[in-house]
């Protein structure tokens, strides 16, 4: 089966993108500027990302928005009912064992719930929603999705779609533009202030060209997207979280609001609740932590971690952090070795080298709150 192409494929190629297969699509891993400079340009100016491979799903209920929110709470441990119109929050689809099937963004708009899910999981997510919410209308949309991230993002997008500057972190809005209605959220995957913008696929290229005309905006590929999210301490589905990982082990306790926890007004009632609530009320046996290898050699996915001669964990994401200028990593360690400051060793090409458990994120976020 041939890889799929996004609405921005031709523009990505024209801009010199090095195209690679990713989640069933041909996507740019980098542009001529290179991963390191794209990363730095996003931190200092703004980066434009094609993330149209991700799934965009709309959920409606014949009895209205509150009914749709109540229905979705059957599938996720988040407080969807309490989510205000014009706001979004991070969510999780869980399996019956409490493992993470996918992570997603849930936006409550005036007439529907708008979900953004990972590309590799979007077909299974759609099936999960259609089976789990039979009373709802669930549709996958064919719109392009772009992310504009960095300190210049606000001024650039506001010049294209008035009203963007008035939004705060995790706000969602529909903004008029020369490219049709833009569905905008003030969020992203880099730790930078910025936006994710859903645009009609037929208008996507013209919109992207307009944004790229602004001084300080560069196209950014998957390579820098990964180093940016790693510095921000954000999970990559399939690496840092998966069906075997609970939200508590993944250090995502903040994503489960009190109303869904033990003693809350709507505690439990979601897949995997027994395990998740037990770990919330007690403690998991392992935990996702930040890791700082000593020296200049990055420790990447799969590196085993040791305390003295005992294996205590494994790295799930790692590399060099261009902004923090040293190697960084995330991984899971036994709970007894998860405290900040714990000294471990990572086995790298037959040698065990020092690595320290550190706080996340590696670089403070710059969200506009």
């Amino acid at each position: 089966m041939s890889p799929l192409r996004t609405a921005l494929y031709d523009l990505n190629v024209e801009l010199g993108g090095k195209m690679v297969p990713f989640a069933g699509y041909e996507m740019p891993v980098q542009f001529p500027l290179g991963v390191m400079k794209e990363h730095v340009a996003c931190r200092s100016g703004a980066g434009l990302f094609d993330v149209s491979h991700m799934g965009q799903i709309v959920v409606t209920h014949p009895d209205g928005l509150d009914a749709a929110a109540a229905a979705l709470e059957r599938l996720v441990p988040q407080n969807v009912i309490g989510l205000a119109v014009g706001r979004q929050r991070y969510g999780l689809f869980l399996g019956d064992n409490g493992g993470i099937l996918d992570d997603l963004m849930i936006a409550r708009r005036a007439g529907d719930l708008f979900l953004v899910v990972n590309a590799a999981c979007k077909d299974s997510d759609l099936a999960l929603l259609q089976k789990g919410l039979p009373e709802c209308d669930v549709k996958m949309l064919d719109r392009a999705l772009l992310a504009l991230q960095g300190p210049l993002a606000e001024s650039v997008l506001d010049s294209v779609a008035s009203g963007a500057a008035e939004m705060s972190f995790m706000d969602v809005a529909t903004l008029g533009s020369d490219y049709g209605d833009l569905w905008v959220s003030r969020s992203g995957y880099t730790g930078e202030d910025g936006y994710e913008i859903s645009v009609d696929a037929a208008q996507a290229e013209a919109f992207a060209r307009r944004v790229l005309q602004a001084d300080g905006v560069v196209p950014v590929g998957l390579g820098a997207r990964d180093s940016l999210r790693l510095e921000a301490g954000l999970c990559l589905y399939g690496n840092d979280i998966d069906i075997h990982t609970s939200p508590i082990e993944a250090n995502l306790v903040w994503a489960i609001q009190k109303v869904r926890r033990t003693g809350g007004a709507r505690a439990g009632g979601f897949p995997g609740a027994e395990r998740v609530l037990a770990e919330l009320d007690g403690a998991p046996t392992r935990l996702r932590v930040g890791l700082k290898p000593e020296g200049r050699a990055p420790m990447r996915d799969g590196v085993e971690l040791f305390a003295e001669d005992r294996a205590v964990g494994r790295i799930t994401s790692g590399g060099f952090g261009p902004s923090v200028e040293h190697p960084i990593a995330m991984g899971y360690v036994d709970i007894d070795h998860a405290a900040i400051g714990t000294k471990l060793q990572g086995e790298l090409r037959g040698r065990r080298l020092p690595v320290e458990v550190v706080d996340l994120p590696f670089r403070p976020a710059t969200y506009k709150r």
Side-chain angles (χ1 to χ4, degrees):
M1 183 176 176
S2 300
L4 300 171
R5 293 177 173 176
T6 72
L8 294 177
Y9 173 84
D10 289 343
L11 179 60
N12 289 329
V13 172
E14 178 185 320
L15 293 171
K18 181 181 178 182
M19 308 303 285
V20 299
F22 182 80
Y25 285 79
E26 289 183 88
M27 300 296 293
V29 67
Q30 68 177 70
F31 291 90
L33 198 60
V35 173
M36 183 76 76
K37 290 183 178 178
E38 288 171 25
H39 179 116
V40 173
C42 181
R43 295 274 188 240
S44 60
L48 184 68
F49 304 72
D50 178 12
V51 289
S52 304
H53 58 309
M54 300 185 75
Q56 301 179 68
I57 298 174
V58 166
V59 178
T60 58
H61 191 290
D63 292 335
L65 198 49
D66 287 343
L72 186 58
E73 284 200 0
R74 299 200 301 263
L75 300 183
V76 301
Q78 277 66 52
N79 176 9
V80 186
I81 293 174
L83 185 62
V85 172
R87 295 285 293 166
Q88 72 170 2
R89 67 174 25 127
Y90 180 74
L92 299 158
F93 287 132
L94 302 179
D96 292 337
N97 68 345
I100 300 172
L101 300 175
D102 196 9
D103 60 343
L104 68 153
M105 300 302 295
I106 304 169
R108 182 165 181 155
R109 305 192 302 177
D112 58 40
L113 300 176
F114 177 54
L115 315 181
V116 177
V117 302
N118 282 300
C121 304
K122 63 183 182 182
D123 291 337
S124 58
D125 289 342
L126 182 66
L128 176 75
L129 287 160
Q130 290 176 332
K131 181 179 179 181
L133 309 178
E135 72 275 42
C136 294
D137 184 32
V138 180
K139 292 180 180 175
M140 182 85 75
L141 303 181
D142 184 23
R143 289 173 66 90
L145 188 68
L146 296 90
L148 182 63
Q149 302 278 292
L152 294 179
E154 180 183 87
S155 60
V156 171
L157 185 60
D158 198 64
S159 70
V160 179
S162 178
E166 298 168 13
M167 299 171 67
S168 297
F169 181 57
M170 298 300 259
D171 278 352
V172 296
T174 297
L175 304 178
S177 78
D178 293 341
Y179 313 96
D181 283 345
L182 306 179
W183 301 354
V184 178
S185 67
R186 193 155 194 165
S187 60
Y189 194 47
T190 63
E192 290 293 329
D193 180 29
Y195 305 85
E196 292 197 342
I197 307 126
S198 174
V199 55
D200 186 287
Q203 297 280 357
E205 184 176 321
F207 170 75
R209 289 184 186 276
R210 169 74 179 277
V211 171
L212 287 168
Q213 286 176 357
D215 290 340
V217 181
V218 302
V220 179
L222 294 172
R225 179 172 163 84
D226 193 57
S227 58
L228 288 158
R229 71 91 194 165
L230 180 57
E231 284 187 340
L234 300 174
C235 294
L236 175 64
Y237 190 81
N239 279 49
D240 307 300
I241 51 177
D242 59 28
I243 185 57
H244 304 294
T245 311
S246 81
I248 315 308
E249 291 176 324
N251 224 336
L252 298 173
V253 172
W254 57 267
I256 303 176
Q257 290 74 40
K258 290 183 180 179
V259 72
R260 305 303 310 276
R261 302 184 190 183
T262 302
R266 298 191 306 281
F270 51 84
E274 183 176 357
R275 174 186 176 187
V276 170
L277 296 182
E279 289 184 357
L280 262 174
D281 297 337
T285 59
R286 61 176 187 152
L287 195 66
R288 179 176 64 96
V289 297
L291 296 158
K292 182 181 178 184
E294 288 187 12
R296 302 292 288 180
M299 293 185 184
R300 304 186 188 279
D301 175 22
V303 168
E304 202 165 10
L305 298 167
F306 292 85
E308 298 179 346
D309 288 331
R310 188 165 71 88
V312 297
R314 188 176 66 84
I315 286 177
T316 52
S317 286
F320 188 81
S323 302
V324 298
E325 299 182 330
H326 59 72
I328 53 177
M330 297 192 297
Y332 286 83
V333 297
D334 294 348
I335 195 69
D336 292 340
H337 296 88
I340 304 300
T342 301
K343 306 287 187 181
L344 301 173
Q345 292 187 316
E347 188 163 281
L348 195 63
R349 294 185 287 277
R351 296 175 62 203
R352 292 188 183 175
L353 302 174
V355 57
E356 180 179 349
V357 177
V358 298
D359 203 6
L360 291 171
F362 297 100
R363 182 181 182 279
T366 59
Y367 307 136
K368 181 180 176 181
R369 299 185 185 274

